[in-house]
């Protein structure tokens, strides 16, 4: 299954933006010691994200965006290509200094697809920085519904067929709702560390609970 991200409407949420900026600050601290020129592959990202992080036209840094569909770019350092997060065979081993991915691996499919994405990230990047929400955090981050990820698929589909939930609008048919709620699979810490076995782990906290994970190396 090709990777599919839910729309970045979460950018409008001030708290989500605050957490994202804090996370990006951590990312920047890791980049500080990496020599330039520097190449970054953003798996599933948009130029808009980097704009919101005030990270455009950076000297000596090039950013390649890879998505199902081409993304608009207007800065000289950005390139957009079409591709699949689980198959980056268009790139050679260690093709990029850094592979960056924000809230994508939970959308690529089941456990096999998630494992393949992780393997590809490790293969094509000399370093990586991959963020994903925590399955056990009580508020599902896309639908903003308490415990939504723990409900049976048909219950989740019924809810989305009847209500607007978080960043997702109500789906007119149960089939569309089922496809939407079935497109994401939040990760547990154990699975993430299995996919990235030799990694560093950073846990983002909210009210003392782990809201999301970042694996980096």
């Amino acid at each position: 299954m090709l990777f599919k991200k839910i729309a970045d409407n979460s950018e409008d949420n001030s708290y989500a933006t605050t957490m994202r900026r804090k996370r990006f600050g951590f990312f920047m601290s890791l980049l500080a010691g990496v020599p330039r020129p520097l190449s970054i592959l953003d798996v599933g990202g948009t130029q808009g994200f980097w704009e919101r992080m005030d990270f455009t036209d950076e000297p000596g840094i090039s950013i390649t965006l890879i998505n199902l569909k081409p993304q608009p770019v207007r800065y000289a350092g950005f390139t957009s290509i079409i591709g699949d997060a689980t198959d980056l065979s268009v790139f050679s081993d260690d093709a990029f200094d850094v592979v960056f991915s924000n809230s994508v691996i939970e959308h690529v499919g089941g456990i096999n697809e998630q494992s393949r994405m992780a393997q590809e990230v490790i293969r094509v990047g000399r370093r990586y920085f991959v963020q994903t929400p925590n399955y056990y955090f009580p508020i599902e981050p896309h639908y903003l519904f308490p415990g939504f990820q723990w409900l049976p698929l048909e219950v989740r589909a019924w809810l989305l067929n009847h209500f607007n939930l978080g960043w997702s609008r109500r789906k007119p048919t149960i089939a569309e709702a089922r496809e939407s709620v079935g497109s994401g699979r939040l990760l547990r810490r154990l699975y993430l560390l299995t996919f990235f076995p030799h990694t560093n782990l950073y846990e983002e906290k909210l009210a003392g609970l782990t809201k999301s994970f970042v694996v980096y190396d």
Side-chain angles (χ1 to χ4, degrees):
M1 177 180 179
L2 297 178
F3 67 90
K4 176 169 64 175
K5 284 191 69 175
I6 291 179
D8 254 346
N9 296 330
S10 57
E11 299 290 354
D12 298 329
N13 181 283
S14 59
Y15 182 77
T17 300
T18 298
M19 289 198 71
R20 195 169 288 109
R21 284 188 175 277
K22 181 179 179 181
R23 181 189 312 144
F24 194 77
F26 177 53
F27 174 64
M28 288 297 296
S29 73
L30 297 174
L31 284 188
V34 183
R36 273 54 171 174
L38 171 65
S39 60
I40 298 174
L41 175 67
D42 184 353
V43 180
T46 66
Q47 183 181 266
F49 168 84
W50 298 90
E51 287 180 313
R52 285 184 286 272
M53 297 300 109
D54 300 319
F55 196 88
T56 55
D57 289 329
E58 295 289 325
I61 296 181
S62 61
I63 299 175
T64 300
L65 310 173
I66 183 167
N67 288 277
L68 287 177
K69 298 179 180 179
Q71 298 296 310
V73 296
R74 61 188 184 91
Y75 294 98
F78 283 79
T79 302
S80 174
I81 66 173
I82 297 173
D84 179 350
T86 67
D87 180 7
L88 301 176
S89 56
V90 65
F91 303 120
S92 62
D93 294 359
D94 294 332
F96 293 88
D97 294 305
V98 181
V99 178
F100 179 93
S101 185
N102 190 70
S103 292
V104 172
I105 194 169
E106 68 270 20
H107 295 297
V108 300
I111 187 172
N112 292 331
E113 290 78 12
Q114 290 173 332
S115 178
R116 284 203 300 270
M117 175 179 166
Q119 291 169 14
E120 287 291 80
V121 165
I122 294 169
R123 182 184 66 80
V124 305
R126 298 181 182 90
R127 304 165 188 82
Y128 58 81
F129 187 95
V130 176
Q131 181 271 348
T132 188
N134 177 20
Y135 172 82
Y136 289 112
F137 188 73
I139 305 297
E140 205 284 340
H142 308 101
Y143 301 100
L144 301 182
F145 190 97
F148 189 78
Q149 68 273 33
W150 306 329
L151 298 172
L153 175 65
E154 291 305 319
V155 175
R156 286 180 281 151
W158 183 91
L159 286 167
L160 190 57
N161 181 225
H162 288 79
F163 306 101
N164 295 328
L165 298 176
W167 315 118
S168 294
R169 302 300 87 189
R170 185 184 69 83
K171 301 302 181 185
T173 69
I174 195 68
E176 290 175 276
R178 189 182 296 112
E179 179 181 6
S180 180
V181 300
S183 67
R185 178 181 178 274
L186 298 185
L187 284 164
R188 299 163 173 82
R189 184 177 187 273
L190 177 61
Y191 280 111
L192 190 61
L193 293 179
T194 300
F195 297 154
F196 295 90
H198 307 292
T199 193
N200 298 291
L201 179 70
Y202 172 68
E203 298 187 10
E204 295 182 328
K205 300 287 186 177
L206 177 60
L209 301 176
T210 300
K211 187 176 187 296
S212 68
F213 302 111
V214 175
V215 287
Y216 64 98
D217 187 35

